[in-house]
DNA sequence: TTGTAGGCGTTATCAC
DNA sequence: GTGATAACGCCTACAA
């Protein structure tokens, strides 16, 4: 391994000078800096991240921790985040939380919060308060976190407006009995109605029903225990087999993956989409465009999502630099939260989206 | 941040004792060790990875660097790798190489080879020799790397046998004119025929054709500049529009993503699968099961792939420890078996696979 | 069985 | 402008 000392020796200067020069400190003479850069280049020098991180607390890495890397939406989102992180001059790393709480904690404790200058996290089981403790004062932006009393910045998908648009579209094309696949009707009574993704998407649906003058009951909702392909496919059988849903002619599935699996379930029974049942999904994954029939969906603009997320995160990272530098009196990060020179209130943004109309609702 | 000193103070011992105890060194008395563990637990102590890595060169992290995280196959593969890495007690991190050579180099230089005890890499543009330099002596296992003179261990998909099975299956169900989508017929003259994924898959196809007594010419191959959805969809139009392929009745696409896009292209023109044209893919992504019609495919067993990959990698990591430390009596059982302090020759394994027959070839 | 001490490569605080 | 020098938190020979 070639270290800073090697570069210093090659350039005939001290280690300190190398450090300054490579980091672009203006105090170093241009000629010296150039000489040092060339020496570094020739030796294929690369700063040791562990050493830098140990000494300065900064690594140049931004971490993305996400649930289920093997599903289309999370993986396309991670890819978009990775690209945007790289574009901002940071190194992206992605981690899979697999949905278990221990896993999420482990990842944050062991890797992300230690190694990363900032984190992008899609919280599953861990509460905001726990996250605060796990973040070690490092900046973090949450995805689709709607907790009533937010601790971190977050960027959300357009749950309400998007879902409302989906249901409205089904009604517009003439559906008389629209069924929403995902939530249970009982959800209405749940106190998480306003603070969870499913609750907010359901709220959007209800708004659309109401605006269209449609009375809603349990037969407008087909609950899904897990938002996975197999239960979603079987949900289609349930819909077809139950008297409650027999005249259903329009279905809104809360994710594209559910929609595509549901569509497969309909195909298993020979039900035609959109002729017999029209179908709308949510997310706008690539797969939705290539399905047969292609899927109408509420597409989240992932590039916009990534851009907004990194705007927030990098602002916080830069703010932290100023803060940490003066931070001689221990880790004030926590207790000074409501004080002066400290971060403003958590922001909450929504990513751009659009309803993409395709064959599954073409009538 | 709570350091080892804090734990030492809380437990009333020295830092060294804490280090030994937490790493399970048998020299520490059981009672002392337990006391230390409890103190660490209570203080929520977590070893600082940067410090550990700087001092010992080991971080407990294994990195996966892969091309295009937003495609189904790579993302499902990364997820399988992540799970297996975690199962072995390491922390997984995933990075997207995006296919550019600079990117691959950057990732290896700046992050992976520095931070990780071992790497799993799916090489795109970088040659084996360059990789050797970039690896900094850290163990690495390559995926689907078929270079004639391998430097690293690798685990491959069953390119030849899998492709042969795909083509054979199309012939078995009665296809008279099978077209392989992906490679160009000119590939045969290419010197990378034996050392690239596309070349080896093509070799498998040729074997199946030959065994079936089918004469092959350019009309059995439909080249694809990029293995992406849009060109694949358009390839279907090309197939239908060209006289060369007019009587094609069976198609083998070199990946599932190509197959599904191609199938979409056929649907655009009202061509029925499998009635008019039968279709086989390669990979076995989840999506292939939910497509309509469901896609017959050469499924790679990703769990098996991950298992074999980590068997190789962790062996090398442990061997490296033996080499680096002066650990005389160490677990020589593994590494000192053959030869001296030098690693054995690169191994090359193939992941389990199966031909999954589905609707797209049901006749 | 446990403590002491030195150093991993970098950055930051001083002098010069 | 540049160069010594001291940490950052941990690991590990060696001493006790």
């Amino acid at each position: 391994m070639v270290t800073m000392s090697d570069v210093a020796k090659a350039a005939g200067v001290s280690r300190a000078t190398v450090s300054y020069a490579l980091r672009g400190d203006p105090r170093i003479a241009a000629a010296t800096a150039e000489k040092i850069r060339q020496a570094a280049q020739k030796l294929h020098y690369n700063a040791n991240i562990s050493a830098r991180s140990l000494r300065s607390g900064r690594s140049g890495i931004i971490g993305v921790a996400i649930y289920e890397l093997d599903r289309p939406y999370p993986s396309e989102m991670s890819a978009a985040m990775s690209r945007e992180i790289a574009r901002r001059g940071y190194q992206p790393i992605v981690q899979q939380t697999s949905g278990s709480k221990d896993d999420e904690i482990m990842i944050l404790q062991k890797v992300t919060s230690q190694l990363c200058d900032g984190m992008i996290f899609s919280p599953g089981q861990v509460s905001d308060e726990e996250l605060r403790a796990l973040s070690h004062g490092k900046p973090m932006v949450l995805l689709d976190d709607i907790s009533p009393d937010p601790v971190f910045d977050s960027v959300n998908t357009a749950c309400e407006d998007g879902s409302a648009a989906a249901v409205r579209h089904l009604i517009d094309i003439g559906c008389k009995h629209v069924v929403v696949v995902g939530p249970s009707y009982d959800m209405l009574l749940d106190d998480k109605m306003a603070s969870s993704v499913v609750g907010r998407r359901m709220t959007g649906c209800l708004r659309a029903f109401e605006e269209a003058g449609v009375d809603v009951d349990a037969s407008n909702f087909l609950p899904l225990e897990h938002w996975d392909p197999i239960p979603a496919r079987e949900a289609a059988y349930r819909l077809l087999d139950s008297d409650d849903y027999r005249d259903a002619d329009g279905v809104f599935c809360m994710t594209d993956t559910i929609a595509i699996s549901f569509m497969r379930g309909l195909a298993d029974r020979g039900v035609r989409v959109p002729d017999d049942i029209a179908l709308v999904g949510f997310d706008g994954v690539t797969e939705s465009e290539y399905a047969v029939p292609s899927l109408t969906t509420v597409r989240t603009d992932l590039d916009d999502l990534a851009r907004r997320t990194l705007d927030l995160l990098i602002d916080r990272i830069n703010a932290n630099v100023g803060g940490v530098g003066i931070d001689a009196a221990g880790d004030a990060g926590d207790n000074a939260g409501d004080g002066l020179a400290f971060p403003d209130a958590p922001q909450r943004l929504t990513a751009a989206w659009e309803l993409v109309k395709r064959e599954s609702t073409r009538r």
Side-chain angles (χ1 to χ4, degrees), chain A:
Chain A
M1 157 167 279
V2 35
T3 79
M4 214 147 108
S5 300
D6 300 321
V7 179
K9 202 180 301 171
V13 296
S14 76
R15 296 198 323 255
T17 307
V18 174
S19 179
Y20 288 132
L22 293 181
R23 311 190 79 240
D25 191 304
R27 288 177 302 177
I28 302 297
T32 316
E34 183 52 30
K35 192 174 56 182
I36 290 171
R37 262 192 299 275
Q38 294 199 352
Q41 182 87 37
K42 195 165 69 187
L43 295 175
H44 296 105
Y45 169 74
N46 269 288
N48 181 314
I49 292 189
S50 300
R52 164 176 297 172
S53 170
L54 177 59
R55 175 62 232 224
S56 71
R58 307 197 70 208
S59 62
I61 298 175
I62 287 180
V64 180
I66 205 164
Y67 180 69
E68 292 181 320
L69 204 45
D70 47 1
R71 292 284 158 72
Y73 180 70
S75 76
E76 291 182 17
M77 212 210 60
S78 309
M81 292 291 178
S82 288
R83 281 191 298 268
E84 187 65 20
I85 290 168
R87 192 172 296 134
R88 310 279 183 127
Y90 283 82
Q91 294 286 337
I93 68 174
V94 178
Q95 293 186 270
Q96 174 172 248
T97 62
S98 312
S100 94
K101 183 165 178 174
D102 286 348
D103 232 42
E104 296 187 1
I105 292 177
M106 189 82 125
I107 283 175
L108 286 169
Q109 272 185 341
K110 294 255 157 98
V111 185
T112 325
S113 73
Q114 286 203 23
L115 240 40
C116 299
D117 295 344
M119 313 159 252
I120 298 164
F121 187 63
S122 167
Q125 317 290 320
V126 184
S127 77
D128 264 36
E129 271 314 321
E130 290 170 304
L131 281 180
R132 191 224 289 278
L134 290 168
S135 73
H136 284 284
K138 293 267 184 75
M140 173 148 69
V141 176
L142 302 180
L143 301 175
D144 261 329
D145 176 80
I146 343 242
S147 75
D149 191 27
V151 174
F152 295 101
D153 294 336
S154 63
V155 184
N156 300 322
T157 51
C159 289
E160 279 196 43
D161 291 348
S163 299
V167 169
R168 194 180 316 119
H169 176 55
L170 286 169
I171 293 172
D172 283 350
I173 62 167
C175 293
K176 297 302 175 204
H177 182 179
V178 172
V179 175
V180 177
V181 174
S184 151
Y185 189 54
D186 303 336
M187 179 88 212
L188 278 173
L189 311 170
D190 198 309
D191 55 354
K192 287 210 284 283
M193 188 65 183
S195 67
S196 67
V197 168
V198 50
R200 291 197 42 246
R201 293 195 181 178
M202 190 165 175
T203 303
C205 296
L206 292 172
R207 198 176 76 204
F209 280 129
E210 193 174 342
E211 286 171 4
V214 175
D215 285 334
V216 170
D217 60 29
S219 78
N220 294 103
F221 297 91
L222 181 57
L224 221 49
E225 191 72 33
H226 298 287
W227 289 16
D228 286 329
I230 292 175
R233 185 178 193 162
E234 287 164 355
Y237 309 155
R238 255 160 62 213
L239 181 115
L240 298 173
D241 291 342
S242 158
D243 282 337
D244 299 339
Y245 304 110
R246 185 140 301 167
D247 58 348
D249 56 357
V251 168
F252 169 46
C253 294
M254 292 230 156
T255 73
D256 283 351
T257 293
I258 293 177
I260 285 165
S261 311
F262 192 90
M263 197 152 74
R264 178 65 241 192
L266 294 178
D268 293 340
R269 294 296 188 85
V271 174
R272 293 164 310 162
V273 175
D275 314 73
D276 301 328
I277 292 182
L279 203 61
V280 180
F282 197 114
D283 284 342
V285 299
T286 303
E287 191 179 349
S288 69
E289 186 173 353
Y290 289 85
V292 180
S294 57
L295 181 67
T296 294
T297 185
V298 178
R299 190 180 76 84
T300 298
D301 183 334
L302 292 178
D303 292 327
D304 183 69
L305 177 69
R307 226 177 293 121
R308 289 175 194 268
T309 302
L310 278 132
D311 283 346
L312 290 172
L313 188 59
I314 288 180
D315 271 3
R316 297 282 183 192
I317 289 175
N318 291 336
N320 251 23
V321 170
V324 165
I326 316 166
D327 185 17
D331 53 349
D334 270 342
N335 30 31
D338 19 283
L340 298 172
F342 274 88
D344 2 5
Q347 295 204 50
R348 183 169 282 175
L349 305 179
T350 300
W353 62 279
E354 64 175 326
L355 179 71
V356 182
K357 296 175 188 166
R358 300 210 185 95
E359 293 168 354
S360 70
T361 56
R362 196 157 295 159
R363 276 183 173 165

